[in-house]
Amino acid sequence: MCFRDLSRTHVWQTQLFFTTFRPPLNIDTNSSTLMAESEPVSDATPVGEKRTCLRHGDEETPAKKPKVDGENGNAPNPDGGGGEEEEEEQPEGQASDGEEDGESFADMMKHGLTETDVGILKYVSDHEGFSGILKERYSDFVVHEINKQGKMVHLDDLSIPADSEEGAEPEQQPTECDVLTEEQRQQLGELQLFKNKERNVSIEVKDDTKEKRTLVHKAIKTQFPGLETKTEEKEGHKFIVAYHVAGKKALAEVKTAAAPRKHFWPKNRGSYCHFALYKENKDTMDAINVLSKFLRLRPNMFSYMGTKDKRAITVQEIAVLKITAERLAHLNKCLMNLKLGNFCYKNHPLKLGELQGNHFTVVIRNISGTDEQVHQAMGSLRQTGFINYYGMQRFGTTAVPTQQVGRAILRNDWNQVVDLILKPRPGAEKEYLVRCREEWAKTQDPEAALKKLPNKRCVEGQLLRGLSMYGKKNIVTAFGLIPRNNRLMYVHSYQSVVWNAMVSRRIEAFGLKAVEGDLVLRGTTAHVLSAEEAESHSIHDIVMPLPGYDVIYPSHHVGEGYRELLSADGLDLDNMRHKVKDYSLAGAYRRIIVRPTDVSWEVIHYDDPRISLVHSDFEKLENKPAPVFNQDGQYRALRMEFSLPPSTYATMAIREVLKLDTSIKKQTQLNTVWFN
């Protein structure tokens, strides 16, 4: 069985979650139960929803100055709820998709977090809430990026820009087409689509000259993206062997870090090709990695404004340096669950966080609320908004929350950092991680523990490799081998849990009105309200600081609460600079209430639970009909739309509508009770 999370399926939190136990949530908020329905284990497209992009082969940085969080602030958002400033990768223990353990996900989540553990305590509305199922199908969660010009990004044009015909790359000229026979093209085409059982195609070069071999190599790579070639000699004859760059054996041989080949590029053409990336049920970084392998580029050749949900249909803008629209468009023939379009050339890449936000289309199926309850809940969301909490996915899913590691880093307690990341922990985990942790606990030998890991790129592997290289007396240096985004994720997680707790305390103390001592922003500078000034401000103007060395705090008692909380954790609010510059926290300001824009909703009725209830960009491109609803249908669903600014969590908006605990632990417990 599979478990469906209300939280955003960000890659570093929910990969394991969605591959082990993911029945759709039937969220009964009135009785505090979450019911579940069965679904196949795989994240693959469910029966009756064949939504593939195939035509063939179906199937963040610490701020130096205080910032406004969500306006290039220093705490990225992994929710896709408006765009994050940097992507966050998987924390420890979160390995790749598709692996399962014998123990159930419910066993694993016995030791997970609930909302109260991370300070998520309050609601702003007084309606009752109602039950429903979120993300029963990944097509029930659709995200369109809103670029910095305020335009929603859509995939609605697959054509090539006219200037791409001028000065096309030499390797794409038709002179190379003649070197391959029709039979060879057919074999290579089958290989490209994974239909070749031998997993390679050998082409004998009878006219053995370097020029001829070069032409064959170029022809294969140009006409069949995703294939790589090499020259082999067998029994005195030379063969050019083509193999799939994404194949398991090929991955060991392909030098993915190699610099891209140089091509002729017209001077009057922008250096970056921008395009809309449409993806289904795939994380942004996974999609970028696929594109980089097919095009034989480094992943950092691509730029984007924010990462998007995995279990969803999303559309976002991507830019790549000096790759033609033709090469990109050709990938549409062989990509799975991805589609590229709306190509144009510009002179600049994209930057993380420069988007205006994201627009969400969310379907909640099998709702129990009356039309009046739905209207009251959605009206409150549109008029008042929701508490801008950091969502559960920011704090990890394992028994060691990310904020605990962040607190140890800020306390400069590096032995505890290592202990928290590498020690054995309760709850189900990948078997190889269990063996690795047991080896470390027994021997404290980083090399021996590292041998237990088949994937050395996880956080445990990177830390162990650092310890084996620099020794256990140089933990700071060893810890530095973990990618910077991953390391900063820990300290930002600690900032986030403090912010959540203080906002809950602020709303508990003063409710939904501005009061003397609150903070508002004037430009990028925070100002403390006087009693008279508070009369002319609303709760939507109020901000609260993430703790740091370059922010001010509310002058009422909640401001002192920051000092109390950090002091209890062994930290000094007046000394947030760290010996290691990376972990010095300037802080940022974040609005405590967010009011979505473009809010609309409708209650729809339907009979077939397998059908999509949203007309996707790809379906429109394929001229497929929009879903037709039966007003007398046996099922009811709420289809809501809203736009959110950067660094806000869509799951927190949905939480306000349904009145539920979004933690995986709570959802799993309730689902387990229901199953039993």
Side-chain angles (χ1 to χ4, degrees), residues 26-35 131 659-661 666-667 669-671 673:
N26 189 345
I27 304 156
D28 187 344
T29 55
N30 298 318
S31 61
S32 299
T33 59
L34 309 180
M35 302 182 185
S131 67
K659 293 292 185 72
L660 56 91
D661 185 323
K666 184 67 174 178
Q667 294 170 1
Q669 289 174 343
L670 296 171
N671 273 274
V673 170

Side-chain angles (χ1 to χ4, degrees), residues 207-332:
D207 181 13
D208 186 18
T209 64
K210 184 176 181 180
E211 292 76 13
K212 176 67 180 291
R213 294 199 304 271
T214 300
L215 278 174
V216 175
H217 283 292
K218 284 186 176 181
I220 294 173
K221 294 175 182 179
T222 301
Q223 297 176 46
F224 302 94
L227 298 187
E228 190 59 271
T229 59
K230 60 184 176 182
T231 302
E232 291 184 355
E233 187 168 336
K234 303 174 185 177
E235 300 178 354
H237 298 277
K238 287 193 175 180
F239 294 83
I240 292 177
V241 180
Y243 55 93
H244 210 291
V245 71
K248 293 182 179 179
K249 295 181 180 178
L251 285 176
E253 304 174 30
V254 176
K255 298 179 180 178
T256 56
R261 299 187 303 282
K262 295 182 180 179
H263 306 301
F264 168 71
W265 197 264
K267 292 182 180 179
N268 62 343
R269 179 195 291 167
S271 297
Y272 294 86
C273 185
H274 289 232
F275 60 94
L277 172 65
Y278 170 101
K279 61 182 183 65
E280 296 184 358
N281 206 28
K282 189 176 290 290
D283 178 76
T284 298
M285 285 311 301
D286 290 340
I288 294 294
N289 288 332
V290 169
L291 296 179
S292 65
K293 289 172 184 175
F294 272 69
L295 295 167
R296 300 180 296 283
L297 299 173
R298 296 189 189 101
N300 62 9
M301 299 294 286
F302 295 86
S303 58
Y304 46 91
M305 294 182 286
T307 59
K308 298 291 177 281
D309 301 72
K310 177 183 186 294
R311 188 168 176 81
I313 293 176
T314 71
V315 188
Q316 65 185 116
E317 187 175 349
I318 305 287
V320 59
L321 178 63
K322 290 189 176 180
I323 296 297
T324 66
E326 289 165 304
R327 288 185 68 187
L328 292 166
H330 199 61
L331 295 177
N332 285 329

Side-chain angles (χ1 to χ4, degrees), residues 604-608 629-636:
I604 54 182
H605 298 254
Y606 61 100
D607 284 314
D608 188 350
F629 307 118
N630 176 9
Q631 290 304 313
D632 297 320
Q634 60 178 316
Y635 303 114
R636 295 169 70 241

Side-chain angles (χ1 to χ4, degrees), residues 221-514:
K221 294 175 182 179
T222 301
Q223 297 176 46
F224 302 94
L227 298 187
E228 190 59 271
T229 59
K230 60 184 176 182
T231 302
E232 291 184 355
E233 187 168 336
K234 303 174 185 177
E235 300 178 354
H237 298 277
K238 287 193 175 180
F239 294 83
I240 292 177
V241 180
Y243 55 93
H244 210 291
V245 71
K248 293 182 179 179
K249 295 181 180 178
L251 285 176
E253 304 174 30
V254 176
K255 298 179 180 178
T256 56
R261 299 187 303 282
K262 295 182 180 179
H263 306 301
F264 168 71
W265 197 264
K267 292 182 180 179
N268 62 343
R269 179 195 291 167
S271 297
Y272 294 86
C273 185
H274 289 232
F275 60 94
L277 172 65
Y278 170 101
K279 61 182 183 65
E280 296 184 358
N281 206 28
K282 189 176 290 290
D283 178 76
T284 298
M285 285 311 301
D286 290 340
I288 294 294
N289 288 332
V290 169
L291 296 179
S292 65
K293 289 172 184 175
F294 272 69
L295 295 167
R296 300 180 296 283
L297 299 173
R298 296 189 189 101
N300 62 9
M301 299 294 286
F302 295 86
S303 58
Y304 46 91
M305 294 182 286
T307 59
K308 298 291 177 281
D309 301 72
K310 177 183 186 294
R311 188 168 176 81
I313 293 176
T314 71
V315 188
Q316 65 185 116
E317 187 175 349
I318 305 287
V320 59
L321 178 63
K322 290 189 176 180
I323 296 297
T324 66
E326 289 165 304
R327 288 185 68 187
L328 292 166
H330 199 61
L331 295 177
N332 285 329
K333 297 179 180 179
C334 53
L335 291 176
M336 298 180 67
N337 299 326
L338 300 174
K339 201 77 173 177
L340 285 57
N342 295 76
F343 305 103
C344 63
Y345 295 102
K346 299 181 182 180
N347 289 316
H348 59 83
L350 296 170
K351 295 181 181 179
L352 286 160
E354 67 179 3
L355 74 171
Q356 282 196 15
N358 288 295
H359 183 79
F360 295 86
T361 303
V362 180
V363 173
I364 302 174
R365 296 182 184 243
N366 286 17
I367 60 169
S368 66
T370 65
D371 288 355
E372 178 59 31
Q373 285 177 308
V374 171
H375 181 78
Q376 184 181 3
M378 293 303 302
S380 174
L381 181 68
R382 180 161 62 186
Q383 183 174 355
T384 306
F386 62 97
I387 304 174
N388 194 21
Y389 285 125
Y390 288 98
M392 294 302 300
Q393 55 271 39
R394 196 168 181 85
F395 308 104
T397 58
T398 68
V400 179
T402 53
Q403 71 267 23
Q404 289 186 12
V405 181
R407 179 178 60 191
I409 293 171
L410 294 174
R411 292 169 60 175
N412 215 33
D413 189 345
W414 293 99
N415 286 321
Q416 187 182 29
V417 170
V418 172
D419 189 42
L420 286 170
I421 294 176
L422 296 180
K423 71 178 182 180
R425 58 188 60 177
E429 269 199 310
K430 304 295 184 186
E431 186 179 344
Y432 60 81
L433 278 170
V434 173
R435 292 195 300 265
C436 172
R437 298 187 195 286
E438 289 175 346
E439 182 66 35
W440 173 256
K442 181 172 64 176
T443 67
Q444 298 287 295
D445 183 344
E447 292 186 5
L450 191 60
K451 290 179 180 178
K452 304 292 184 180
L453 292 176
N455 176 17
K456 308 296 192 292
R457 294 184 61 190
C458 61
V459 169
E460 291 87 351
Q462 291 159 332
L463 177 56
L464 287 168
R465 187 162 62 90
L467 292 171
S468 64
M469 291 172 62
Y470 302 108
K472 289 181 284 186
K473 293 184 178 180
N474 296 294
I475 296 175
V476 176
T477 306
F479 188 70
L481 260 64
I482 297 172
R484 188 170 183 270
N485 285 351
N486 284 44
R487 290 182 280 118
L488 295 181
M489 174 188 69
Y490 293 118
V491 292
H492 294 154
S493 178
Y494 179 76
Q495 281 183 304
S496 301
V497 76
V498 171
W499 192 90
N500 281 356
M502 291 299 100
V503 166
S504 291
R505 186 179 299 191
R506 158 64 181 78
I507 293 175
E508 172 70 24
F510 304 114
L512 298 179
K513 64 177 182 177

